[in-house]
């Protein structure tokens, strides 16, 4: 606390009902879920991260064990339930605005065709009811709109058109959540670009470019290049 710098908040492996990535840990039963939470808590994680394929039994056990150990739970709402139910169960933070649609229509084959109709419902009483629950429970919402926006440029023309349409419908839903006083936090995604948005040069071209900082946002304060230079002295 004596120097200006970031606070790192770390999770261990993502708990999930399948293991689609090397950083995911498979938990299918309540016993497996509780054991995973206990091990992660003992390792000193700041929160437990869960993903969309987590089953109801494992989800309930994760939330219960994490509450007992006073460790927050964040991540994707499991596809077997909705956001309001997950919030009421004690999720600390819900990630990615597009997952709101997925939890309403978990069938990926039908989601694209129903996307606009769901958007209309979310921009009305359905959205209001969900956001009221999040506000009441103090559940944080991390829309990660910047990550979705940046994915448009790298998509094929046909996919880019669909994503741009989706993005334009997501923005007013995020604004509706903010107007409903849902606590909003900023974030990105593992599949998208990260911190170079505040750099003067691409770190993928030269890792040394990480030192060419244009600005840093720290606890709500914007530190420009001049202020950063003072901190380096």
């Amino acid at each position: 606390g004596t120097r200006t710098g970031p606070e790192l908040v770390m999770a261990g492996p993502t708990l999930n009902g399948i293991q689609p990535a090397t950083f995911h840990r498979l938990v299918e039963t309540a016993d497996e879920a509780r054991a995973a939470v206990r091990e992660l808590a003992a390792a000193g994680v700041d929160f437990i991260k869960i993903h969309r394929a987590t089953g109801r039994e494992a989800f309930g056990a994760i939330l219960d064990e994490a509450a007992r150990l006073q460790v927050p739970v964040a991540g994707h709402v499991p596809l077997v339930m909705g956001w309001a139910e997950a919030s009421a169960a004690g999720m600390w933070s819900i990630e990615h605005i597009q997952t709101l649609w997925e939890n309403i229509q978990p069938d990926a084959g039908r989601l694209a065709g129903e996307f606009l109709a769901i958007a209309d419902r979310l921009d009305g009483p359905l959205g209001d009811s969900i956001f009221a629950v999040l506000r009441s429970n103090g559940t944080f919402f991390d829309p990660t709109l910047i990550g979705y926006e940046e994915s448009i440029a790298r998509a094929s023309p046909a996919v880019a058109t669909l994503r741009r349409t989706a993005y334009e419908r997501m923005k007013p839903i995020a604004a509706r959540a903010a107007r409903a006083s849902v606590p909003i936090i900023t974030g990105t995604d593992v599949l998208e670009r990260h911190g170079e948005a505040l750099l003067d040069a691409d770190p993928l071209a030269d890792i040394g470019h990480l030192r060419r900082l244009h600005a840093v946002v720290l606890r709500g304060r914007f530190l420009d290049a001049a202020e950063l230079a003072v901190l380096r002295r």
Side-chain angles (χ1 to χ4, degrees):
T2 61
R3 302 179 64 183
T4 300
E7 295 179 10
L8 301 179
V9 181
M10 307 294 289
T14 298
L15 305 185
N16 201 5
I18 57 175
Q19 192 171 2
T22 57
F23 56 88
H24 285 204
R25 174 171 172 170
L26 178 66
V27 291
E28 295 181 299
T29 68
D31 288 343
E32 290 174 344
R34 290 182 184 277
V37 171
R38 287 195 297 268
E39 289 174 23
L40 291 171
V45 301
D46 296 295
F47 68 100
I48 304 295
K49 172 75 182 289
I50 64 172
H51 217 271
R52 56 192 279 172
T54 307
R56 279 188 176 276
E57 179 184 359
F59 176 82
I62 290 169
L63 269 291
D64 184 64
E65 194 69 17
R68 186 180 70 82
L69 297 172
Q70 297 183 314
V71 181
V73 176
H76 290 228
V77 172
L79 292 178
V80 293
M81 65 184 63
W83 280 30
E85 183 180 1
S87 171
M91 276 193 75
W92 174 74
S93 177
I94 297 175
E95 319 305 311
H96 314 309
I97 190 170
Q98 67 267 28
T99 66
L100 180 53
W101 275 257
E102 295 170 2
N103 285 97
I104 293 173
Q105 177 47 273
D107 185 341
R110 298 173 57 187
L111 180 57
E114 298 178 19
F115 187 91
L116 295 180
I118 294 173
D120 288 339
R121 294 170 59 202
L122 288 171
D123 203 13
L126 176 61
D128 290 342
S129 66
I130 294 171
F131 297 142
V133 173
L134 267 63
R135 180 189 66 242
S136 176
N137 293 322
T139 306
F140 288 91
F141 173 29
D142 180 13
T144 64
L145 275 168
I146 185 66
Y148 197 90
E149 180 185 30
E150 291 180 346
S151 75
I152 296 171
R154 293 187 297 280
S156 66
V159 173
T161 297
L162 293 174
R163 288 189 178 181
R164 190 171 295 107
T165 299
Y167 173 69
E168 293 302 326
R169 295 307 305 271
M170 289 175 185
K171 287 194 292 186
I173 307 304
R176 196 177 194 94
R179 289 195 301 271
S181 298
V182 174
I184 305 292
I185 56 177
T186 60
T188 182
D189 197 0
V190 69
L191 301 179
E192 308 300 341
R193 294 183 297 175
H194 300 152
E196 71 268 31
L198 288 172
L199 296 179
D200 284 327
D202 185 359
L204 296 179
D206 182 347
I207 193 64
H209 290 165
L210 285 174
R211 297 187 179 278
R212 295 179 58 180
L213 294 175
H214 176 76
V216 170
V217 178
L218 180 64
R219 301 183 189 91
R221 181 184 171 198
F222 185 84
L223 304 174
D224 62 18
E227 289 181 279
L228 293 174
V230 172
L231 290 173
R232 293 192 188 99
R233 294 173 186 169

